[in-house]
Amino acid sequence: MVELWIDLILGVGIPLVLLVLGFVVGSWAERRHFRRLIENEEKLRGIMGFAIRRAPRDLDLAAPKLVTGSAVISVDYFKRFAAGLRHLIGGRVGAYESLFERARREAVVRMKEEARAHGADMILNIKFETVRIFGRQRGGILSVEALAYGTAYRTGHAGPQIPQS
Amino acid sequence: MIISNMEEIPGKPVLRHLGVVQGSTVQTKNLFRDFGAGLKNLIGGELKSYTALMNEARHEAVNRMTREAVAIGANAVVNVRFATSTITGGAAEILAYGTAVVIEGGADG
């Protein structure tokens, strides 16, 4: 009888506690991260980012510099469980979607911070790359790295000329 | 030295193309740093030590690429791209590559 209880606690109780812990702490951390992202994105609004390959002719662009930003975000216990369930029936894995979004937006914020430190106010040719690093082999942690990079410029105030009427 | 991922540097025409230059590093996670990351397995969130590791690696890759470009007499590298591949055993290769060029007006500014 005692052995049954021990088995039950080890087999069901501990995973259940981990699930609840993962869910509560994980989603709290995620909400906090999203709030911080919105704040930082607001602060960096002055640095414009474009995914264009060629520099517009009417802009005076100086001091080109390659800027990068990256973030590695790992999944929590609950998300992994939820994704495992989803795996059975297929379809959209919402639990992982927010993971990628957080990593990518954080990467953009960091890239823009590097650009600002350089005194730049525009980033052109922004590219994204996503890497699943250090997978699950050897007890590694399932995590994704998002990388954002582009070329930062200081724009002259010559800018596009507005014709005087 | 100008490093850019655009095809051209605005206002500085390319005088000569010197071909592809590249730099890469292979990194593996640090077991001791990984210790704290174990908790993240449970509650999720950013793995700051991994982010730092990847950033260091990427910097080193760009540095190696830049050194190669300098060695062949370039003053800029354009069209820079990054590629990352994970190889078994928890190691990742980070590659930076681009086209070494000589541009008008030197590298200043």
Side-chain angles (χ1 to χ4, degrees):
Chain A
M1 196 60 200
V2 176
E3 278 163 26
L4 183 75
W5 277 108
I6 292 173
D7 276 359
L8 210 65
I9 288 170
L10 286 182
V12 181
I14 291 177
L16 206 67
V17 168
L18 292 182
L19 264 185
V20 171
L21 198 70
F23 178 71
V24 172
V25 181
S27 56
W28 170 77
E30 183 162 287
R31 275 198 306 276
R32 205 177 56 150
H33 189 199
F34 273 125
R35 271 202 304 276
R36 207 173 57 233
L37 275 175
I38 292 168
E39 250 171 56
N40 288 336
E41 281 165 354
E42 195 60 48
K43 273 184 216 153
L44 292 162
R45 188 133 292 173
I47 296 162
M48 287 182 285
F50 300 98
I52 50 172
R53 279 166 57 211
R54 282 171 190 283
R57 295 226 175 276
D58 52 359
L59 278 178
D60 182 19
L61 300 168
K65 182 179 190 274
L66 186 73
V67 286
T68 62
S70 79
V72 181
I73 311 270
S74 94
V75 298
D76 59 52
Y77 196 87
F78 177 79
K79 274 179 191 285
R80 204 158 48 224
F81 176 77
L85 278 188
R86 172 55 82 179
H87 221 87
L88 295 176
I89 48 172
R92 220 164 56 83
V93 187
Y96 283 176
E97 283 177 351
S98 65
L99 199 74
F100 282 98
E101 188 190 341
R102 282 163 69 192
R104 201 165 291 124
R105 281 169 68 179
E106 188 65 48
V108 169
V109 162
R110 287 176 187 174
M111 174 183 68
K112 285 188 170 182
E113 275 168 354
E114 193 186 329
R116 188 169 61 181
H118 177 61
D121 56 1
M122 188 174 281
I123 306 174
L124 300 181
N125 203 16
I126 293 177
K127 301 260 185 239
F128 288 112
E129 200 187 300
T130 314
V131 192
R132 177 179 168 278
I133 57 164
F134 307 135
R136 274 191 202 167
Q137 336 95 314
R138 293 211 184 161
I141 298 153
L142 187 63
S143 54
V144 289
E145 190 207 21
L147 164 71
Y149 62 102
T151 304
Y153 293 97
R154 289 178 202 150
T155 60
H157 294 288
Q161 294 292 313
I162 300 156
Q164 302 279 323
S165 60
Chain B
M1 197 72 187
I2 292 177
I3 312 291
S4 166
N5 76 332
M6 310 262 294
E7 286 166 27
E8 47 198 41
I9 310 291
K12 294 185 175 181
V14 170
L15 302 177
R16 229 147 36 92
H17 285 267
L18 299 173
V20 170
V21 285
Q22 53 142 324
S24 85
T25 70
V26 177
Q27 291 278 333
T28 181
K29 56 189 176 177
N30 180 327
L31 259 182
F32 297 101
R33 275 181 173 178
D34 216 35
F35 231 65
L39 183 68
K40 292 285 182 178
N41 212 357
L42 186 60
I43 56 168
E46 178 168 14
L47 301 171
K48 291 221 166 67
S49 58
Y50 282 17
T51 306
L53 187 79
M54 296 298 276
N55 278 341
E56 276 166 35
R58 209 163 275 126
H59 255 107
E60 183 56 33
V62 170
N63 281 346
R64 288 181 183 178
M65 178 188 73
T66 310
R67 278 205 294 275
E68 194 185 323
V70 169
I72 59 174
N75 63 3
V77 183
V78 293
N79 228 339
V80 171
R81 296 276 181 277
F82 289 108
T84 315
S85 49
T86 47
I87 38 187
T88 47
E93 192 216 14
I94 288 109
L95 166 71
Y97 63 100
T99 306
V101 293
V102 177
I103 54 168
E104 201 176 276
D108 39 270

